Amino acid sequence: MSATLTPQAGRVTRGTTATTPVESRWERLAPYGYVAPFYLLFAVFGLFPLLFTFVVALYDWNPIGERTFVGLDNFVRLGEDPRFWNALRNTFSIWVLSTVPQLVIALVLAQVLNKARLRFANFWRMSMLVPYITSVAATTIVFAQLFDRDYGLLNFFVGLLGFEHIDFKNTVLGSHVLIAVMVTWRWFGYTTLLYLASLQAVPRDLYEAANVDGAGEVQQFLHITLPSLRPVIVFTVITSTIGGLQIFTEPLLLQPTSGTTCGAERQCQTLSLFQFEQGFGVFNFGYGSAIGVALFAIIVVVALVNYLLSSRVGRRA
Amino acid sequence: MAQLVDAPDAAAPEGGRGGRRPQRLDRVPRSRQVGRVRWYTYAVLALAVLACLFPLYWMFVVASAGTEAAAEMPPRVVPGGRLLVVTQLVFDTIPFLRSLVNSLVVAGLIAVGQAFLCSLAGFAFAKLSFKGRDPLFLLLVLTMTVPASLSVIPQYMIIAQLGWVDTLQALVVPGLVSAFGIFWMRQHISATIDDQLLQAARVDGCGSWQIFTRIAFPIVRPAAFVLGLLGFVNAWNDFLWPFIVLKSPEVYTAQIAIKALQSNLTVDLGLAMAGSFLVTIPLLVLFVFFGRQMVSGIMDGAFKG
């Protein structure tokens, strides 16, 4: 009795809602379809290449497809390669020279732009985003010319003041400063807008109360602006670190005559450019990938240091 | 315009008067000055704006003054009248028009792809419930911290396997959707679209696809537009990846074309400058029309405190 009823009951249920289960199954699967394009593309062009970098780094691998397993040889070679240490030094030097002034300038400008009665607020904000929409390639070409030893505008003024022209392109410090100026120019406006957005979330009463209490601009900056911007400052330090470790186009285009070394003495070759030189200049995929792995390790270390520092600062505050 | 004219007088006397008042040291007037903007504030801003705009202006000066202008001493600061001649020279030296079209196609497709696909995925993360949603989203956020350029060699190998070396799809396909864009659209959709509205549509028998296309997307279209715009700018300006996968001048994007112009450096200093100017102009035009939206888009996307 029950044996015959049960299947029948089941059939009835299925019958009455004939369309809904099909639809709801479709509905249940649909969200995965909506998010799938990202994960698919990331798997193919992001995750797999990242993991495969570690594999290729263990081989002597050239683009024609010849490969020999060499274990950790590429890394041993890397450790003994003065070009690698040179590129590492250059990368860090350019990163520090570009990040610190950029964040300081952005902090000051954000504080200034946050004033309630500022006129032409939109004009100031928009102008500061103009460098961001200028390509790195165009930026490099213009700044290389502005800072040119013989015909640059900057050196014209240096000459007027009676000093000797500065050779930015061909000296170590000069080329680093020049690249840092380019990076700072392109990004300080963008960073300013991020800080400004954060500042606008700070209640104005806080500033007004400080005003009433007689706190000056500098004190307001130190005691209200800085603490309330801490999360976004940490965020921009991390993003500018990740960006700074990948600087490539500036050193490539700064010295167009010396290929991928950024000068005869490799005075401004960054890690990213060194990786390109090894991978696509001399077609040593294995060694190039080892540089990629080194970059990855550096980024992990820097992220950890960042995290530790920012949580320590957070606890103290 | 009226605003432009009266501003300096309005700002300066206030600052000046405040400075000369004898009771300046008193706390009372100071408290009345809350939010008052002094002249030096404008001086700082003007300096920053000058720094932002001068390099572009100077690019125009050299591009319009003819090719020898880059090697003049003292350097030129006034534009010349030879912009068309120099432009012609750029187009004669390399297939520049082709490069501009390539850039337009790549950046356009990426802009449309990001605006749509990021909105769709953002909608799913913000408004639909499905198993594994939260871990999937966490994974997405984590992917943003992995810099792409460290694995360019395997990326190139994949493109080679697909037979896409020297083609534009090598640039378009990987850029069609981004973690940042999804994250951004999710925030936006959570904040602007009321759950009850979607519930009502569901009761009326709408599936999630219809809810997205007929209700959610039209509402967030302005944000999706800004996202597409930022995607366009980034794709237009991209250098490293196109430089790796594009080999022949017919497929060069505009940025790579500048590099090709620059390689003629021995011949002509000013030519690369003119190329840079021509490559920047389309974005400046876009910016004149939509810069305001981009500014508010970037500020909305920033997380606040």
Side-chain angles (χ1 to χ4, degrees):
Chain A
M1 189 65 186
S2 65
T4 50
L5 257 178
T6 321
Q8 214 170 9
R11 212 178 301 139
V12 167
T13 325
R14 216 179 294 154
T16 49
T17 53
T19 51
T20 29
V22 181
E23 252 181 33
S24 73
R25 186 212 259 159
W26 174 240
E27 272 301 303
R28 251 185 293 125
L29 291 178
Y32 298 103
Y34 302 158
V35 301
F38 169 76
Y39 293 97
L40 196 71
L41 288 179
F42 178 71
V44 176
F45 298 109
L47 184 63
F48 176 74
L50 180 65
L51 300 177
F52 204 56
T53 304
F54 289 80
V55 177
V56 179
L58 302 176
Y59 286 84
D60 195 353
W61 192 315
N62 73 37
I64 312 158
E66 291 167 18
R67 54 178 190 262
T68 354
F69 184 80
V70 294
L72 296 176
D73 277 10
N74 282 328
F75 293 101
V76 175
R77 229 180 100 196
L78 202 61
E80 294 164 349
D81 191 340
R83 297 173 305 176
F84 169 72
W85 296 106
N86 172 61
L88 185 66
R89 259 196 317 274
N90 291 346
T91 305
F92 268 93
S93 153
I94 293 169
W95 168 65
V96 171
L97 287 171
S98 59
T99 301
V100 177
Q102 184 205 130
L103 301 192
V104 172
I105 293 170
L107 275 173
V108 172
L109 288 176
Q111 159 111 348
V112 167
L113 281 173
N114 193 38
K115 298 207 182 284
R117 289 195 219 158
L118 188 74
R119 283 166 185 275
F120 320 123
N122 265 312
F123 169 75
W124 305 119
R125 288 176 196 179
M126 274 180 68
S127 306
M128 276 174 210
L129 207 59
V130 168
Y132 170 78
I133 63 156
T134 310
S135 70
V136 182
T139 304
T140 308
I141 288 168
V142 177
F143 276 81
Q145 195 59 39
L146 278 171
F147 284 70
D148 189 71
R149 186 192 58 194
D150 302 321
Y151 305 111
L153 195 61
L154 188 85
N155 270 321
F156 170 69
F157 288 116
V158 169
L160 274 191
L161 292 174
F163 295 104
E164 209 170 304
H165 284 196
I166 304 163
D167 190 352
F168 282 98
K169 281 185 221 176
N170 295 310
T171 56
V172 175
L173 184 63
S175 60
H176 293 189
V177 168
L178 179 47
I179 292 172
V181 167
M182 297 175 197
V183 176
T184 306
W185 182 74
R186 273 199 84 228
W187 288 101
F188 81 87
Y190 185 88
T191 311
T192 302
L193 291 184
L194 293 187
Y195 290 171
L196 178 62
S198 259
L199 264 188
Q200 287 183 339
V202 178
R204 260 185 212 292
D205 315 2
L206 232 57
Y207 285 99
E208 288 179 11
N211 247 319
V212 172
D213 291 345
E217 199 130 337
V218 175
Q219 281 172 306
Q220 291 180 21
F221 179 79
L222 290 178
H223 297 290
I224 305 176
T225 306
L226 271 187
S228 37
L229 287 187
R230 206 179 58 83
V232 72
I233 292 173
V234 170
F235 173 78
T236 50
V237 168
I238 292 172
T239 49
S240 70
T241 305
I242 294 173
L245 290 172
Q246 301 186 78
I247 287 176
F248 172 83
T249 312
E250 294 92 340
L252 177 76
L253 294 182
L254 183 61
Q255 308 267 16
T257 45
S258 60
T260 51
T261 56
C262 197
E265 311 284 313
R266 296 175 182 269
Q267 55 268 54
C268 53
Q269 190 182 44
T270 56
L271 279 173
S272 189
L273 192 58
F274 184 45
Q275 182 192 28
F276 180 87
E277 182 197 6
Q278 293 306 310
F280 300 101
V282 299
F283 293 111
N284 196 337
F285 279 3
Y287 198 48
S289 293
I291 301 165
V293 171
L295 260 172
F296 183 77
I298 294 164
I299 286 170
V300 169
V301 169
V302 171
L304 276 177
V305 170
N306 251 322
Y307 173 77
L308 290 176
L309 278 181
S310 63
S311 56
R312 166 112 49 93
V313 173
R315 242 179 285 133
R316 215 190 298 147
Chain B
M1 197 59 214
Q3 216 186 351
L4 264 173
V5 174
D6 71 25
D9 331 303
E14 279 171 10
R17 230 183 289 133
R20 257 177 261 120
R21 269 183 189 168
Q23 68 269 50
R24 196 166 74 97
L25 293 173
D26 203 311
R27 294 288 179 226
V28 185
R30 203 176 215 172
S31 70
R32 269 196 266 123
Q33 283 178 4
V34 169
R36 183 139 301 171
V37 185
R38 310 285 191 83
W39 66 270
Y40 54 75
T41 302
Y42 289 104
V44 167
L45 286 172
L47 199 68
V49 168
L50 185 73
C52 287
L53 301 182
F54 183 76
L56 291 175
Y57 168 74
W58 200 64
M59 193 152 82
F60 170 68
V61 168
V62 176
S64 67
T67 49
E68 301 81 21
E72 264 177 40
M73 207 64 186
R76 245 192 121 92
V77 284
V78 206
R82 298 183 58 201
L83 186 61
L84 289 179
V85 182
V86 180
T87 304
Q88 188 61 47
L89 200 59
V90 170
F91 281 86
D92 288 346
T93 313
I94 52 164
F96 197 61
L97 189 65
R98 185 73 185 262
S99 302
L100 285 173
V101 172
N102 289 340
S103 279
L104 190 68
V105 168
V106 169
L109 287 173
I110 286 178
V112 172
Q114 289 212 356
F116 184 74
L117 290 173
C118 295
S119 301
L120 183 61
F123 167 74
F125 280 122
K127 295 295 177 189
L128 303 177
S129 53
F130 52 97
K131 220 180 203 171
R133 181 181 73 174
D134 295 343
L136 276 175
F137 190 70
L138 182 68
L139 178 68
L140 178 125
V141 172
L142 284 177
T143 66
M144 285 198 269
T145 60
V146 180
S149 78
L150 64 86
S151 40
V152 283
I153 290 169
Q155 278 165 356
Y156 178 81
M157 293 164 128
I158 288 170
I159 292 296
Q161 280 294 316
L162 291 167
W164 288 1
V165 173
D166 218 15
T167 66
L168 294 182
Q169 65 257 39
L171 311 183
V172 174
V173 175
L176 280 177
V177 56
S178 72
F180 166 78
I182 295 173
F183 181 80
W184 202 67
M185 287 312 296
R186 175 187 176 266
Q187 303 297 87
H188 203 82
I189 289 169
S190 307
T192 50
I193 296 180
D194 193 2
D195 280 334
Q196 286 182 327
L197 184 68
L198 303 185
Q199 203 51 49
R202 219 175 262 284
V203 171
D204 288 345
C206 283
S208 59
W209 176 255
Q210 287 166 312
I211 292 178
F212 174 72
T213 53
R214 293 194 195 157
I215 301 170
F217 191 67
I219 294 176
V220 296
R221 199 151 38 194
F225 178 76
V226 173
L227 181 68
L229 216 55
L230 292 173
F232 187 94
V233 169
N234 288 330
W236 182 275
N237 287 340
D238 197 13
F239 189 90
L240 173 60
W241 184 237
F243 187 60
I244 289 173
V245 294
L246 304 179
K247 308 286 182 193
S248 36
E250 304 86 67
V251 290
Y252 279 177
T253 57
Q255 305 299 332
I256 310 304
I258 307 185
K259 164 82 176 135
L261 271 181
Q262 201 201 23
S263 308
N264 289 350
L265 197 77
T266 43
V267 193
D268 222 320
L269 263 167
L271 214 52
M273 196 77 99
S276 306
F277 176 69
L278 294 172
V279 159
T280 313
I281 280 296
L283 291 189
L284 283 177
V285 171
L286 260 187
F287 192 72
V288 167
F289 286 105
F290 304 115
R292 231 184 150 119
Q293 281 99 310
M294 283 174 70
V295 167
S296 52
I298 287 168
M299 288 178 63
D300 284 346
F303 62 103
K304 295 167 184 173

